[in-house]
Amino acid sequence: MEITIRIDKRSKQAKVFYEYLKTLPFVQLEEPRYIKDTEKAIKEVKLRKTTKTTLEDFREDLYS
């Protein structure tokens, strides 16, 4: 059985709890390598859900 727990590590208590969980032999912790937007972009690239553009068009979109 798996249980997912999301911990907001901004509070001191949450950090202590997280460190405690890391010491337990039956707990596996998975942390994302990147922030959510980056993870989403990586998945889109892997699934080929991207669009091809030129550098000029990219700059135009970026600065307009």
Side-chain angles (χ1 to χ4, degrees):
M1 177 171 76
E2 288 187 25
I3 299 173
T4 301
I5 300 174
R6 291 196 173 106
I7 301 172
D8 183 354
K9 294 189 276 184
R10 290 181 280 188
S11 74
K12 186 176 183 179
Q13 294 159 328
K15 288 178 187 175
V16 171
F17 179 62
Y18 179 76
E19 291 302 318
Y20 168 70
L21 288 176
K22 287 174 32 177
T23 66
L24 300 175
F26 53 86
V27 173
Q28 288 181 321
L29 300 173
E30 293 181 14
E31 291 191 51
R33 295 182 305 179
Y34 310 103
I35 58 174
K36 288 181 184 179
D37 291 338
T38 306
E39 288 286 347
K40 182 180 174 186
I42 291 170
K43 284 182 184 178
E44 287 177 355
V45 169
K46 287 182 179 179
L47 295 173
R48 299 181 186 259
K49 292 185 176 180
T50 58
T51 52
K52 205 172 201 177
T53 186
T54 65
L55 182 57
E56 292 80 21
D57 290 342
F58 174 73
R59 286 182 179 158
E60 185 178 308
D61 290 341
L62 186 63
Y63 296 114
S64 59

